[in-house]
Amino acid sequence: MVAADFLNSRHGFGLWLMSPPKALLDQFVASAESPGNSSLSRPDVVLVDFDIDGKTTRQERAKALLGHDTTISKDDSDLLDYALAKAVAPVLVRLGRYHEGHTEELIRRFLDQGVAGFLLSMVEHESEIDRARLALDSGVPLGAMIETPQAISRIGHFRSSGLDFAFIGLVDLAIQRGSPSIFTPLIDGTMTEMSEALRGIPFGFGAATTVGSGAPVPNRMLLAEMLRHGASYTLLRSAFYRDVAQGEPGPALAELRALLTDLSHRSTEEQERDFHSLRERLTDILGDQMPPSA
């Protein structure tokens, strides 16, 4: 199966909008009609989230971990219709945990609407990938969320099932592992293990926001770490929507791509220096809970 073009961004690193506000989609449509607009100022994917299984409980745990609320997804059929109609970028759907029959029914319904690919949440066994793929048309990419210890241990089996792409869910992984921080995998060797196992297919982790923003870890530090691990894309979600609210999303994306280009040209020594800065930042945040480096 050949993955769709959006999995290999022409810009080298993909920026995916996750369940964006409708007004933001309108802004991208308007900017596309402006003279001089380029593809640099447009997202690679609009990802609409239908992962609603157990989200209330998971959010409560996430709030205890993060100290603030996270977004609870809902049946966002209205946003899906809107995103498909606006045609800002290819539209993907993130599905909830696999349920035999129900997942296949959703896939067929969304395919009929024009959805370009699917991301399956809380995958723990390659059989879930195999069964979901049976409902897909030829050439439609299928991805898996890597967000449990079981999933980490079976990445090789996921690859054998012909997985097209993956996303590492740091929040749910921290909840599942009882970690003190969502950033623990960046320090304890887990991200290195996962990125090496996923090498050769597009994968992403974390989230980005506007240049110069980001808390408690600056945006630049996280993007530098994504590139160091060979990630192919990341998500733009609540932090980005908040930070870009007073500006224009198109120029903000172009600025992000310029930063990513600069970061991609770093030497090995510069990458290691950036990783050391990230570790120092996390040490300040976590204190005695800081895990040892692998």
Side-chain angles (χ1 to χ4, degrees), residues 46 55 146 210 220 253:
V46 175
K55 265 301 183 72
I146 310 298
T210 56
R220 184 195 181 280
L253 286 194

Side-chain angles (χ1 to χ4, degrees), residues 184 186-189 217 221 225 272-287 290-294:
T184 298
L186 305 182
I187 300 300
D188 67 4
V217 177
M221 282 188 177
E225 186 68 356
E272 289 302 316
R273 189 159 56 245
D274 283 337
F275 175 68
H276 181 72
S277 296
L278 173 64
R279 180 171 173 79
E280 287 185 333
R281 178 61 181 148
L282 293 179
T283 299
D284 291 341
I285 296 169
L286 294 174
M290 182 72 174
S293 295

Side-chain angles (χ1 to χ4, degrees), residues 50-53 58 94-108 118-136 142-145 147 158:
F50 282 79
D51 177 18
I52 60 177
D53 294 346
R58 286 156 62 192
R94 182 169 79 165
L95 299 170
R97 187 188 296 271
Y98 178 83
H99 293 291
E100 186 172 2
H102 178 63
T103 296
E104 289 86 350
E105 179 183 344
L106 288 176
I107 287 174
R108 286 188 287 268
F118 297 90
L119 180 59
L120 193 60
S121 298
M122 303 300 286
V123 177
E124 295 200 317
H125 197 275
E126 58 277 9
S127 62
E128 300 166 36
I129 299 170
D130 293 334
R131 293 196 294 267
R133 189 177 294 283
L134 292 176
L136 292 172
L142 178 64
M145 294 288 296
E147 49 193 343
F158 294 175

Side-chain angles (χ1 to χ4, degrees), residues 217-235:
V217 177
N219 188 45
R220 184 195 181 280
M221 282 188 177
L222 289 181
L223 290 174
E225 186 68 356
M226 292 174 198
L227 291 174
R228 188 176 78 89
H229 283 285
S232 308
Y233 67 96
T234 191
L235 302 180

Side-chain angles (χ1 to χ4, degrees), residues 127-196:
S127 62
E128 300 166 36
I129 299 170
D130 293 334
R131 293 196 294 267
R133 189 177 294 283
L134 292 176
L136 292 172
D137 294 339
S138 176
V140 176
L142 178 64
M145 294 288 296
I146 310 298
E147 49 193 343
T148 70
Q150 172 76 357
I152 294 174
S153 71
R154 301 199 69 80
I155 289 177
H157 297 281
F158 294 175
R159 293 290 302 272
S160 299
S161 292
L163 189 69
D164 294 304
F165 66 104
F167 190 82
I168 298 165
L170 296 180
V171 174
D172 276 307
L173 184 57
I175 293 169
Q176 293 281 328
R177 299 171 79 196
S179 300
S181 168
I182 64 171
F183 302 114
T184 298
L186 305 182
I187 300 300
D188 67 4
T190 305
M191 187 59 71
T192 298
E193 174 190 346
M194 290 188 286
S195 61
E196 290 177 352

Side-chain angles (χ1 to χ4, degrees), residues 3-17:
D5 290 342
F6 61 77
L7 290 179
N8 298 289
S9 170
R10 73 186 73 179
H11 311 298
F13 190 90
L15 298 173
W16 295 16
L17 301 180

Side-chain angles (χ1 to χ4, degrees), residues 193-265:
E193 174 190 346
M194 290 188 286
S195 61
E196 290 177 352
L198 290 168
R199 199 167 305 280
I201 67 169
F203 75 92
F205 66 89
T209 185
T210 56
V211 172
S213 302
V217 177
N219 188 45
R220 184 195 181 280
M221 282 188 177
L222 289 181
L223 290 174
E225 186 68 356
M226 292 174 198
L227 291 174
R228 188 176 78 89
H229 283 285
S232 308
Y233 67 96
T234 191
L235 302 180
L236 305 175
R237 40 191 176 187
S238 55
F240 176 80
Y241 305 144
R242 179 194 65 228
D243 293 336
V244 81
Q246 303 305 316
E248 293 291 331
L253 286 194
E255 285 185 333
L256 272 174
R257 295 197 195 279
L259 173 58
L260 285 159
T261 297
D262 290 342
L263 290 173
S264 69
H265 292 149

